Amino acid sequence: MNELQVLPTPARGPQLWWGMLFLFLVLSGLVYGAFSLNAWLDDEQQLPVRDIQISGKLTYLVKQDVELAIRRNQPGSFFELDIQRALQDVEALPWVYRASIRKEWPNNLHVHVVEQQAVASWNGDMLLNIQGGTFAAAVPEGLLLPKLFGPQGSEQTALQGFHAMQALLLRSDVQVDELVLSERFAWNLKLDNGLRLNLGRDEFIDRLQRFVDIYPLLQKDQRQAEYVDLRYDTGLAVGWKPASAATSG
């Protein structure tokens, strides 16, 4: 009868400790590598944003101002740069209407800018763009803009009225130099020849058409008109400059 022999179990203590030590070293290496990689990515000397390419039709905006707006509040690291923050900083520049920013590997940025298009000054301290929105910017030298005034919130109404009147005045060879929209939404104009028009609140386009129709007669008159009041259902009233003022003018 064969006897069953039970072999002694080899001691596993040393192998277990070596296995745990190996696992610890692997995990430590991974943690150290992650920290090292993060530190390397944060280090702007390792991968800084080197080139900021700016595109778009720019007339009054300076490219250096766009680059400075991005770098002023951002870390130098390409990976750490916050696109949303950079976009806010660029769009806060006076002449920027809209912008987009994207990262380009390995360490460049591309910024596309749509510049504000100023069509008029607004209330003496702001500018109006073609959408009827206001923005604050210094008027560049040589840029002549019509002056629009009106209550807060009436920007688009004033701009639409201005465009309609300007189109109507084209064939009379005069332009709107100043437009005032009162609190009661009455329209007053000053033309580029100094003549003032009072159009009132209602049917101001029809009233301006009446002025266009009689303007050739005013030009033929030896007297010089100072203002024309068109707040009548029919007809108008003309105020004449004194003879001395008309002669000196």
Side-chain angles (χ1 to χ4, degrees), residues 17-39:
W17 281 109
W18 278 111
M20 293 179 63
L21 179 60
F22 176 76
L23 180 61
F24 174 77
L25 292 175
V26 170
L27 292 177
S28 298
L30 292 175
V31 171
Y32 176 77
F35 275 107
S36 298
L37 178 61
N38 186 64

Side-chain angles (χ1 to χ4, degrees), residues 184-196:
R184 298 180 66 250
F185 281 77
W187 300 85
N188 291 272
L189 302 182
K190 178 186 174 185
L191 305 181
D192 59 355
N193 60 3
L195 184 61
R196 294 185 177 274

Side-chain angles (χ1 to χ4, degrees), residues 94-96 116-120 125-130 133-137:
W95 281 96
V96 175
Q116 293 276 16
Q117 298 183 50
V119 294
D125 58 356
M126 301 288 285
L127 297 179
L128 276 179
N129 60 26
I130 58 176
T134 59
F135 65 100

Side-chain angles (χ1 to χ4, degrees), residues 122 128 148-151 153-165 179-181 185 187:
W122 178 251
L128 276 179
L148 274 58
F149 299 86
S154 66
E155 293 88 350
Q156 292 195 3
T157 299
L159 186 60
Q160 290 171 2
F162 165 77
H163 285 313
M165 296 177 193
L179 178 151
V180 178
L181 185 61
F185 281 77
W187 300 85

Side-chain angles (χ1 to χ4, degrees), residues 53-197:
Q53 300 174 0
I54 301 168
S55 64
K57 184 180 179 181
L58 305 183
T59 304
Y60 305 111
L61 187 64
V62 179
K63 289 185 176 182
Q64 287 80 356
D65 291 342
V66 177
E67 182 170 351
L68 181 61
I70 294 174
R71 294 190 184 276
R72 183 187 297 119
N73 298 318
Q74 294 283 350
S77 170
F78 175 81
F79 289 96
E80 289 296 309
L81 186 137
D82 186 340
I83 290 292
Q84 284 302 118
R85 175 63 186 274
L87 186 60
Q88 291 174 4
D89 291 338
V90 171
E91 291 187 338
L93 293 173
W95 281 96
V96 175
Y97 174 64
R98 187 173 295 143
S100 62
I101 301 177
R102 71 174 185 270
K103 293 181 177 180
E104 294 183 344
W105 182 262
N107 54 359
N108 298 327
L109 286 182
H110 181 264
V111 183
H112 182 75
V113 177
V114 178
E115 193 176 70
Q116 293 276 16
Q117 298 183 50
V119 294
S121 69
W122 178 251
N123 286 339
D125 58 356
M126 301 288 285
L127 297 179
L128 276 179
N129 60 26
I130 58 176
Q131 293 82 16
T134 59
F135 65 100
V139 179
E141 185 177 354
L143 179 61
L144 301 178
L145 296 172
K147 298 175 283 292
L148 274 58
F149 299 86
Q152 183 178 2
S154 66
E155 293 88 350
Q156 292 195 3
T157 299
L159 186 60
Q160 290 171 2
F162 165 77
H163 285 313
M165 296 177 193
Q166 190 82 312
L168 192 57
L169 291 169
L170 278 178
R171 64 188 180 95
S172 298
D173 199 28
V174 289
Q175 296 183 355
V176 177
D177 178 63
E178 181 178 297
L179 178 151
V180 178
L181 185 61
S182 73
E183 294 287 343
R184 298 180 66 250
F185 281 77
W187 300 85
N188 291 272
L189 302 182
K190 178 186 174 185
L191 305 181
D192 59 355
N193 60 3
L195 184 61
R196 294 185 177 274
L197 308 181

